[in-house]
Amino acid sequence: MREHTQSGFDAAEVIDHARAAGNAIHQLCRATLARPSMTPAEVDVVLAHLAAVAAALPQAARQLGDILAQTNNDYALQMDT
């Protein structure tokens, strides 16, 4: 497991970023529900951005998993029964 390095972000900022990403996806879904007039090039740009986001999700999930694993090692977390 990689060692945690300080990035300048705190937990509240990470949560805010995740909330903003979720809100952006919900807004995108609402905006495209109305079938806006878009050129194929504009659709391509949107899909390229979504592909980049989707490609980054495994890294974010892995890093969050690393945080949980480190916390488990540091504090011996257990599940409630």
Side-chain angles (χ1 to χ4, degrees):
M1 184 177 339
R2 287 166 287 181
E3 197 63 29
H4 174 70
T5 57
Q6 283 295 345
S7 65
F9 290 103
D10 63 11
E13 288 174 295
V14 173
I15 292 167
D16 286 345
H17 290 308
R19 185 177 293 117
N23 288 337
I25 293 298
H26 288 292
Q27 290 173 6
L28 177 65
C29 290
R30 282 192 294 274
T32 56
L33 184 63
R35 304 289 193 265
S37 176
M38 297 178 74
T39 67
E42 291 167 329
V43 171
D44 181 63
V45 169
V46 173
L47 291 174
H49 285 295
L50 289 175
V53 168
L57 285 176
Q59 177 184 351
R62 185 174 48 255
Q63 290 168 183
L64 289 168
D66 290 349
I67 292 169
L68 286 176
Q70 184 62 49
T71 303
N72 184 43
N73 291 339
D74 293 346
Y75 300 103
L77 297 180
Q78 296 180 1
M79 298 272 299
D80 291 340
T81 57

